[in-house]
Amino acid sequence: MTTALFPPAELADRVADDGWAVARRRLDADEIHSARTLIAAHFQAGHGVRLDGARVQPAAAHFVPGLAWLYAHPQVIDLARAALGTRDIVFTGHSDAHHGFTQGWHKDSGSLASGDPLSGYFGESAASLFRDAPEVVKVGIYLQDSTSVNCLRVDPGSHLRPDLKPVRPRQVLMDAGDLVVFDVRITHAGAMVPDPDSLESPDFAGSADTPDLDALRERISAFVTFGRDTQRTKAFARANMARQKGQMGLGEDTTVAVDHGHAALLASQGVRTWEEN
């Protein structure tokens, strides 16, 4: 269950160079089933928000009962530490659960357009942000086997440039229980509703699969973000938490009081939250 695509030191180098890496078979069958069941039940009960045809629960570690363990899973923590090259990591407050489709090409740095001068959540110039080693990484937890239709797509190396147009897009095919870690600055895309013209696009070019909308709608995944203990991570955390609160219709000054034990699970592994720094 602990097989990785790269050993820890090489994984950190791969994330620094390409912006992403995969760790294989990090969740077992019972954990996959439990996480899928909890997320599906949460959305079936009418919780979460609709976003671009998907159901999304921002701050899911806090708001999905019984799911806090997933976002503090030792394998998730170990992968984030390996990617950042340090044990001293900070939970940024970001944790999402997704059911269905996701955005087109974008960066999780919060940039909304090519050349965004504020670079989204970080509030600094693109010339300053898009260089150097990763400081904030996201771990994607995939809870079903992926295909060329519903898989994650990344543009390797794009974490070091502000442009949102992919240069050399690559499909990331994973099995249920695999984890992917990526620099939040990387340009990437998830499963999207295909329109007729999209079947000729690079996203589907060369694919032997016929897009199956039902399969896309059943796509369930979770994401959680950690960073080095730096000012840049704190800036990301503040702005990203404000975004999550806005998605839920909460004011920026609202305290997210619900926890379900997530902070304690992190603390037991020596991981702090950004509010404590």
Side-chain angles (χ1 to χ4, degrees), residues 1-2 23-35 61 66-82 89 91 95 139-141 143 177-179 222-226 261-271:
M1 187 177 72
T2 59
R24 303 291 183 187
R25 299 185 292 279
R26 292 301 177 101
L27 301 183
D28 64 31
D30 289 341
E31 290 170 329
I32 295 165
H33 175 74
S34 176
L67 197 62
W69 62 270
L70 183 64
Y71 300 98
H73 196 291
Q75 296 289 348
V76 170
I77 302 301
D78 286 350
L79 183 59
R81 282 174 163 154
I89 64 172
F91 171 55
S95 58
V139 177
I141 306 165
L143 300 171
D178 290 349
L179 305 178
F223 299 88
V224 59
T225 306
F226 300 92
H262 186 243
L265 290 170
L266 290 175
S268 70
Q269 299 176 77
V271 179

Side-chain angles (χ1 to χ4, degrees), residues 4-260:
L5 185 60
F6 304 100
E10 189 177 342
L11 187 143
D13 289 341
R14 177 64 179 263
V15 175
D17 292 342
D18 287 349
W20 69 284
V22 172
R24 303 291 183 187
R25 299 185 292 279
R26 292 301 177 101
L27 301 183
D28 64 31
D30 289 341
E31 290 170 329
I32 295 165
H33 175 74
S34 176
R36 282 187 62 88
T37 300
L38 290 167
I39 293 172
H42 183 77
F43 291 131
Q44 286 169 3
H47 302 301
V49 297
R50 289 196 175 276
L51 182 64
D52 297 330
R55 279 281 187 183
V56 178
Q57 178 58 66
H62 299 272
F63 287 98
V64 181
L67 197 62
W69 62 270
L70 183 64
Y71 300 98
H73 196 291
Q75 296 289 348
V76 170
I77 302 301
D78 286 350
L79 183 59
R81 282 174 163 154
L84 291 166
T86 179
R87 289 190 58 81
D88 187 16
I89 64 172
V90 177
F91 171 55
T92 67
H94 167 264
S95 58
D96 279 352
H98 293 184
H99 189 179
F101 310 114
T102 59
Q103 291 175 289
W105 291 103
H106 66 287
K107 293 179 181 288
D108 288 340
S109 58
S111 300
L112 299 179
S114 180
D116 176 357
L118 295 180
S119 300
Y121 303 130
F122 293 96
E124 60 184 278
S125 71
S128 172
L129 178 62
F130 290 97
R131 63 182 185 184
D132 302 326
E135 290 186 44
V136 182
V137 297
K138 180 172 289 188
V139 177
I141 306 165
Y142 285 82
L143 300 171
Q144 67 282 308
D145 296 346
S146 62
T147 70
S148 60
V149 173
N150 69 2
C151 68
L152 174 71
R153 295 166 175 82
V154 298
D155 184 25
S158 59
H159 61 304
L160 299 178
R161 61 178 184 270
D163 197 1
L164 290 180
K165 184 177 180 179
V167 174
R168 49 188 183 108
R170 177 172 174 177
Q171 296 178 346
V172 183
L173 296 175
M174 293 182 290
D175 296 330
D178 290 349
L179 305 178
V180 60
V181 60
F182 54 92
D183 188 320
V184 296
R185 300 172 298 177
I186 198 171
T187 301
H188 63 287
M192 297 170 285
V193 181
D195 58 46
D197 293 336
S198 72
L199 299 182
E200 302 301 323
S201 75
D203 282 342
F204 293 103
S207 170
D209 295 334
T210 300
D212 183 337
L213 291 182
D214 289 336
L216 286 173
R217 292 189 182 99
E218 290 307 309
R219 181 181 187 270
I220 295 179
S221 53
F223 299 88
V224 59
T225 306
F226 300 92
R228 289 174 168 268
D229 188 5
T230 64
Q231 290 300 316
R232 183 175 280 171
T233 294
K234 293 175 186 177
F236 173 93
R238 291 189 191 97
N240 191 269
M241 181 57 76
R243 186 268 302 173
Q244 291 181 90
K245 289 179 180 179
Q247 284 182 319
M248 293 184 287
L250 304 175
E252 286 191 28
D253 295 331
T254 303
T255 300
V256 179
V258 182
D259 181 70
H260 295 298

